[in-house]
Amino acid sequence: MSDTVPTPQLRVIPGLEEVPAPAWNALAGKQPFLRHEFLSALEQTGCVGGASGWLPHHLSAWSGGKLVGALPRYAKTHSYGEYVFDWAWAEAYERHGLAYYPKHLSAIPFSPIPGARLLAADARVRALLMDRALHDESDFSSLHILFPGECEAEEWRSHGCLLRQGVQFHWRNAGYASFEDFLSTLTSAKRGKVRQERRRVADAGVSLRWKCGLEIVAADWDFFHRCYIRTYRAHRSTPYLNLEFFKRIGETMPAHLMLVIAEREGRPIAAALNLYDDERLYGRYWGATEFVPALHFEACYYQAIEFCIARKLEWMEGGAQGEHKLARGFLPVQTWSAHWLRHPEFADAVERFLARESLGVAEYIDELHERAPFKRDARTQS
């Protein structure tokens, strides 16, 4: 009898309803954004699919009827909600009479969260998924893998992808006993600035509290969603997520949710939603019904840091961009994306562009580290 293990069968699935949640989550691990509950909530509430420009096109690998690998993937007809900007590439295609869309994208929709994209432990399965993704017979201009870890980015590079570097700002818990303990590691000027901002919020009569998991009730979601909508409107943008989505994840994955509510005179005026696992807190969405100086920093950063210290979480990820986070104790972290373009001449042009861009990113990160807000003897945490 042969001991040869059959080659897994690859299949494109148009939605996660075709995959049992336990099977998917066994591959996805603990990160909440990769879990079946989160990704399927996006599909079930219409945030992706339909006319959204995000069409689920997930790759899956099966062996003996068991799911052994997956690549969350979408067919995109635009570049909104990605946080790795390729608009210039699309415009260049258009100027030359070529179609950039549809393209294939592996990412967490609307969330610049670094982490795994290839959901498979077996090296052979990972290679099969990459080969299929890069040699899809469909008429897609390109493949983009957004925010994979560095090791996975290198796997994609070894399969012919171009790598692009970016920067985010993350806060690290160096075993702090309290928020004041954290502040003691900052320079005097930065420490004073943080205290001043917190004092301005308190002097405005604003108090803040946390609600976790099932403590977050329907009225809280209604208020949070109003805040979320106002933020997008203030930036003349269209919100990606609807109220049904937030209520759905509130029901299906409460253990990963923490809501900060800011109140004045007994009524809510702002809210910030975070997701977390047993290692990291992910700052995601924020909004306010009225302006209070420094309230954004208090609700989104300082309350999140206090939560990490209280729960002994090691990291807080503050989302995309935001150099203002540096002065508040966040340090620059390099991020990655991998890109494959079918058209060889455009692939060459993008490769040259990325080589120049990467030099600028490296210099920028070095500069940011020089401006780190920590006292010299505390910079070992970087």
Side-chain angles (χ1 to χ4, degrees), residues 170-189:
H170 297 178
W171 178 86
R172 184 183 178 190
N173 183 359
Y176 300 119
S178 65
F179 192 88
E180 280 297 315
D181 188 20
F182 155 62
L183 284 186
S184 71
T185 66
L186 301 184
T187 63
S188 176

Side-chain angles (χ1 to χ4, degrees), residues 108-329:
I108 307 300
F110 323 120
S111 299
I113 304 296
R117 298 296 174 259
L118 286 168
L119 307 183
D122 185 89
R124 184 176 62 152
V125 176
R126 296 171 72 86
L128 285 170
L129 289 168
M130 284 188 284
D131 288 342
R132 173 64 181 274
L134 290 166
H135 300 95
D136 196 294
E137 295 178 358
S138 304
D139 188 22
F140 289 85
S141 73
S142 50
L143 171 69
H144 309 266
I145 315 297
L146 306 189
F147 302 104
E150 183 175 0
C151 291
E152 183 178 324
E154 283 296 325
E155 287 185 81
W156 287 104
R157 185 192 61 76
S158 70
H159 275 68
C161 288
L162 305 173
L163 296 191
R164 190 175 192 181
Q165 300 173 47
V167 181
Q168 289 185 358
F169 294 86
H170 297 178
W171 178 86
R172 184 183 178 190
N173 183 359
Y176 300 119
S178 65
F179 192 88
E180 280 297 315
D181 188 20
F182 155 62
L183 284 186
S184 71
T185 66
L186 301 184
T187 63
S188 176
K190 295 299 189 288
R191 185 166 60 248
K193 181 179 180 64
V194 172
R195 285 177 174 156
Q196 180 186 51
E197 289 174 342
R198 304 201 83 182
R199 194 159 49 242
R200 292 178 75 184
V201 173
D203 290 348
V206 177
S207 60
L208 296 102
R209 59 193 176 100
W210 307 335
K211 298 191 79 171
C212 296
L214 296 177
E215 296 173 348
I216 307 171
V217 298
D220 298 319
W221 287 122
D222 290 340
F223 174 71
F224 164 74
H225 189 252
R226 290 202 303 274
C227 293
Y228 169 77
I229 293 290
R230 284 176 63 96
T231 298
Y232 274 84
R233 287 177 179 167
H235 291 87
R236 301 181 184 275
S237 185
T238 302
Y240 297 120
L241 304 172
N242 54 38
L243 177 58
E244 186 181 357
F245 166 77
F246 290 113
K247 288 186 174 181
R248 181 67 59 88
I249 62 171
E251 295 170 357
T252 59
M253 51 188 303
H256 295 284
L257 304 177
M258 189 275 269
L259 184 67
V260 177
I261 299 177
E263 297 173 318
R264 181 155 61 183
E265 297 179 349
R267 59 184 179 83
I269 63 169
L273 180 64
N274 305 280
L275 279 74
Y276 68 98
D277 51 39
D278 59 4
E279 180 182 278
R280 295 173 184 262
L281 182 136
Y282 307 87
R284 293 310 307 127
Y285 315 106
W286 134 272
T289 58
E290 60 185 73
F291 175 74
V292 175
L295 180 54
H296 172 260
F297 301 133
E298 177 64 44
C300 295
Y301 305 146
Y302 305 146
Q303 290 295 314
I305 288 172
E306 287 201 344
F307 185 84
C308 288
I309 293 171
R311 295 294 183 98
K312 294 182 169 51
L313 305 182
E314 186 175 357
W315 293 95
M316 188 263 177
E317 296 189 10
Q321 304 156 333
E323 192 173 312
H324 60 277
K325 301 180 182 106
L326 184 70
R328 294 165 178 89

